[in-house]
């Protein structure tokens, strides 16, 4: 970011947070801390100090990691052991924290693309640590091994019995707020009648259906885990969230592909779920950032048992931030074909949240709310986004509560809840919109009304693909076109 930019002046903490996050790996190396190597072909009796003598398990690397260390994860497949099974278990439990000037970095070795497969545990990676970078890994969950009927049975439980069991166990979940989405009485269809032949009984959550890619949860208690950088990851096929940052502070999610998650869990999760952030300081500026990600086909195929209907399955949700003082930035993301909203902000009233230059296409595949919007929230700006909703689906949210919509392009449905002065309703002219990840191309054809018409505020310097955005000629949406293609704008509908 240019230190002289208006954004830098408006959010002075942006530079210090981003610089510390983006340079964490370089900081670790400059401190001459150790390099630790892990390979499925290694041995935990090795020192792990070289490529030729790597450790075998990720957990062993965590056990010996110290601030400033870099754990190099070499190519191959890593699976959870029999001891790493169950709802609270993880293939990799990161328990060792870095420090502000010596982060611990976990990243792929060279051009290797290691895969972590979590088949019967609550997490691929569970974070109970701060100042952590995770970079260049592929995380795969258990969805391919799940029968729909089994997942539905695990979700059909008696809420009263569940709460009674939690009370007997002294569990904190009993008092939790599970209202992560608006009531369906306000928006969307009523749930289908439940088949009465199935009894609703208490059952423990199974990690076969309720598992997450990366999870951290410090919503309660005195401890807050914070400063996490999740970069260049593929996170797919987890029954609950792809990424769940709950009760944390300072999180950066960038250049990730997050898809096919939230299908079978009973908690109503999403591709990316950022919930109940808690502050570790009072610095102004963005402390939660999600940018340059591709998020698709995350959806709920079973009812959330707390509300007994289908819910969530959003691409990305910022949920229950309440009076969290930190700002949030959501920019340059491609979000499509998710079951719920594309980008959904709920119960946030203090934080400044900016949703800028995202492309959303055909979300709300399973339940209706809106593709892009905020509910029971304030202090939000939706700028320069492209939103294409299915016919008769709500395109965006309602105005109010200091919520600004401007310089957005809307298409596909006439149901527009709020329209800013410079918003337009027109076909954005994508080159090849598709649910096929390999074939899809959401860049803009010549003549698109989004070309060269972005508003002047908060425009990212580059697009999702890293293409520079020319000052004063930036496009709306996640992708910047060739500047020479900006002539003959399409007619506004």
């Amino acid at each position: 970011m240019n230190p002289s930019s208006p954004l830098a002046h408006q959010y002075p903490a942006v530079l210090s947070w981003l610089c510390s996050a983006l340079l964490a790996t370089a900081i670790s190396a400059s401190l001459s801390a150790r390099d630790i190597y892990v390979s499925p072909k290694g041995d935990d009796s090795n020192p792990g100090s070289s490529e030729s003598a790597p450790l075998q398990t990720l957990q062993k690397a965590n056990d010996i990691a110290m601030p400033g260390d870099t754990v190099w994860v070499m190519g191959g497949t890593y699976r959870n052991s029999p001891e790493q099974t169950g709802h609270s278990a993880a293939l990799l439990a990161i328990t060792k924290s870095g420090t502000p000037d010596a982060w611990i970095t976990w990243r792929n070795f060279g051009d290797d693309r290691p895969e972590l497969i979590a088949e019967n545990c609550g997490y691929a990676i569970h974070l109970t640590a701060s100042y952590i970078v995770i970079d260049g890994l592929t995380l795969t969950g258990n969805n391919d091994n799940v029968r729909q009927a089994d997942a539905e049975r695990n979700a059909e439980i008696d809420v009263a019995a569940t709460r009674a069991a939690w009370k007997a166990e002294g569990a904190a979940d009993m008092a939790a707020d599970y209202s992560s989405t608006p009531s369906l009485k306000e928006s969307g269809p009523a749930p289908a009648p439940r088949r009465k032949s199935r009894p609703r009984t208490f059952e423990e959550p199974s990690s076969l259906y309720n598992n997450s890619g990366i999870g951290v949860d410090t919503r309660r208690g005195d401890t807050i885990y914070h400063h996490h950088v999740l970069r260049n990851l593929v996170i797919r096929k987890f029954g609950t969230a792809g990424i769940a940052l709950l009760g944390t502070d300072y999180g950066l999610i960038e250049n990730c592909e997050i898809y096919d998650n939230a299908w079978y869990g009973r908690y109503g999760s999403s591709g990316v779920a950022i919930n109940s952030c808690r502050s570790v300081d009072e610095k102004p500026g963005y402390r939660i950032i999600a940018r340059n990600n591709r998020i698709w086909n995350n959806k709920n195929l079973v009812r959330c048992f707390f509300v007994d209907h289908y819910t969530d399955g959003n691409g990305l949700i910022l949920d229950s931030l309440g009076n969290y003082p930190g700002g949030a930035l959501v920019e340059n993301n491609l979000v499509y074909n998710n079951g719920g909203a594309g980008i959904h902000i709920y119960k946030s009233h203090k934080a400044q949240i900016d949703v800028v230059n995202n492309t959303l296409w055909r979300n709300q595949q399973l339940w209706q709310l809106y593709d892009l919007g905020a509910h029971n929230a304030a202090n939000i700006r939706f700028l320069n986004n492209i939103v294409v909703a299915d016919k008769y689906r709500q395109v965006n949210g309602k105005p109010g509560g200091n919520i600004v919509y401007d310089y957005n392009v809307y298409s596909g449905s006439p149901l527009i809840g709020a329209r800013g002065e410079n918003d337009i309703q027109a076909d954005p002219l994508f080159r090849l919109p598709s649910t096929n990840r390999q074939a899809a191309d959401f860049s803009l054809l010549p003549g698109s009304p989004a070309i060269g018409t972005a508003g002047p505020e908060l425009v990212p310097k580059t697009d999702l693909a890293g293409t520079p955005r020319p000052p004063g000629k930036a496009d709306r949406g996640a992708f910047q076109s060739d500047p020479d293609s900006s002539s003959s704008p399409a007619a506004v509908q």
Side-chain angles (χ1 to χ4, degrees), residues 160-238:
T162 301
R163 288 181 179 270
W166 280 336
K167 184 176 182 179
E169 297 167 1
D173 302 68
M174 181 179 64
D177 176 8
Y178 296 102
S179 54
S180 62
T181 57
S183 168
L184 286 184
K185 294 179 180 179
E186 301 176 27
S187 175
R194 178 180 294 279
R195 293 191 293 273
K196 295 183 179 180
S197 59
R198 288 189 177 177
R200 300 173 68 215
T201 58
F202 175 77
E203 183 174 338
E204 291 287 346
S206 170
S207 56
L208 293 172
Y209 325 115
N210 302 278
N211 61 346
S212 297
I214 297 178
V216 54
D217 188 354
T218 55
R219 286 175 290 180
R220 306 171 192 92
D222 296 331
T223 301
I224 302 174
Y225 298 119
H226 52 90
H227 287 87
H228 303 124
V229 173
L230 310 178
R231 182 191 296 129
N232 301 320
L233 305 172
V234 174
I235 304 178
R236 59 193 180 187
K237 300 184 178 182
F238 289 90

Side-chain angles (χ1 to χ4, degrees), residues 30-49:
S30 67
L31 293 173
S32 300
R34 297 173 303 170
D35 289 322
I36 301 172
Y37 296 85
V38 186
S39 168
K41 299 178 181 179
D43 191 317
D44 281 351
S45 64
N46 287 336
S49 56

